[in-house]
């Protein structure tokens, strides 16, 4: 083999290596693009999952708040048997109130009636006093 042939073989070998390197480079570039696309997709998934996580946390805190409010309401509520007793007591008190109101109206009318009678008696007393005074003045006039 001559020097020219060796050089041609070396050049051919180098060209083959260069082609292989370029092919490998293209393959790695495609793989890199694929990985970058996967990375973008995974970032989108992560953002979506983070948003979903935030929504779930908000729902959780709202549920906790609702639960707290319901517990407060439950603590302030009255058991059924106690509520029935309170309803009966309320009905009894309403009946007593109506009865007292009727009695108060009756008392008021009796009071007004007695006040009217007292006025009549006072007027008749005043009338009798006047009559007595007139009679006493008439008797004094007759005696004089």
């Amino acid at each position: 083999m001559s020097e020219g042939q060796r050089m041609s073989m070396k050049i051919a070998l180098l060209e083959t290596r260069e082609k292989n390197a370029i092919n490998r480079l293209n393959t790695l570039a495609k793989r890199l693009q694929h990985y970058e696309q996967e990375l973008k997709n995974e970032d989108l998934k992560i953002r979506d999952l983070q948003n979903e996580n935030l929504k779930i946390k908000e729902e959780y805190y709202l549920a906790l708040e609702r639960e707290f409010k319901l517990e407060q309401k439950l603590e302030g509520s009255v058991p059924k048997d106690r509520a029935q007793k309170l309803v009966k007591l309320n009905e009894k008190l309403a009946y007593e109130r109506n009865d007292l109101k009727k009695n108060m109206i009756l008392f008021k009318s009796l009071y007004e009636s007695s006040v009217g009678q007292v006025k009549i008696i006072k007027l008749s007393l005043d009338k009798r006093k006047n009559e007595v005074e007139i009679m006493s003045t008439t008797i004094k006039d007759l005696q004089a």
Side-chain angles (χ1 to χ4, degrees):
M1 283 200 168
S2 72
E3 186 76 26
Q5 286 179 337
R6 255 194 269 169
M7 285 290 197
S8 316
M9 283 189 65
K10 280 187 178 183
I11 290 174
L13 182 63
L14 286 175
E15 285 176 350
T16 306
R17 283 184 184 171
E18 183 182 4
K19 285 181 185 177
N20 287 340
I22 289 173
N23 286 339
R24 178 111 170 110
L25 181 64
N26 287 336
T27 304
L28 291 174
K30 286 180 184 179
R31 213 187 261 175
L32 180 62
Q33 285 177 348
H34 176 71
Y35 288 144
E36 285 175 348
Q37 188 61 40
E38 280 186 20
L39 183 62
K40 287 179 185 177
N41 291 339
E42 293 301 319
D43 282 341
L44 285 175
K45 283 181 184 178
I46 288 172
R47 276 190 229 121
D48 289 342
L49 291 173
Q50 285 174 338
N51 289 336
E52 188 177 337
N53 188 23
L54 284 175
K55 287 179 186 177
I56 290 171
K57 281 183 180 178
E58 287 174 8
E59 290 173 5
Y60 172 74
Y61 289 123
L62 287 174
L64 277 179
E65 187 177 334
R66 263 184 265 140
E67 180 184 0
F68 178 73
K69 286 179 182 178
L70 289 173
E71 284 177 357
Q72 293 294 324
K73 191 175 182 179
L74 180 64
E75 287 176 6
S77 66
V78 178
K80 191 173 183 178
D81 58 337
R82 175 91 170 114
Q84 289 173 345
K85 289 178 183 176
L86 289 174
V87 167
K88 288 179 182 177
L89 178 63
N90 192 24
E91 290 171 354
K92 181 182 174 185
L93 290 174
Y95 177 75
E96 286 181 18
R97 180 181 152 272
N98 288 335
D99 194 36
L100 287 173
K101 193 172 183 179
K102 288 176 189 174
N103 289 336
M104 185 178 73
I105 292 170
L106 178 64
F107 176 77
K108 186 176 179 181
S109 65
L110 288 173
Y111 172 78
E112 289 172 354
S113 173
S114 64
V115 165
Q117 287 177 358
V118 166
K119 284 181 183 178
I120 292 171
I121 291 172
K122 278 185 179 180
L123 286 174
S124 77
L125 276 176
D126 286 342
K127 185 179 176 185
R128 286 202 178 151
K129 278 183 185 178
N130 284 339
E131 287 176 358
V132 167
E133 283 179 19
I134 290 173
M135 284 191 180
S136 114
T137 13
T138 308
I139 289 176
K140 283 182 185 176
D141 285 343
L142 288 174
Q143 286 177 352

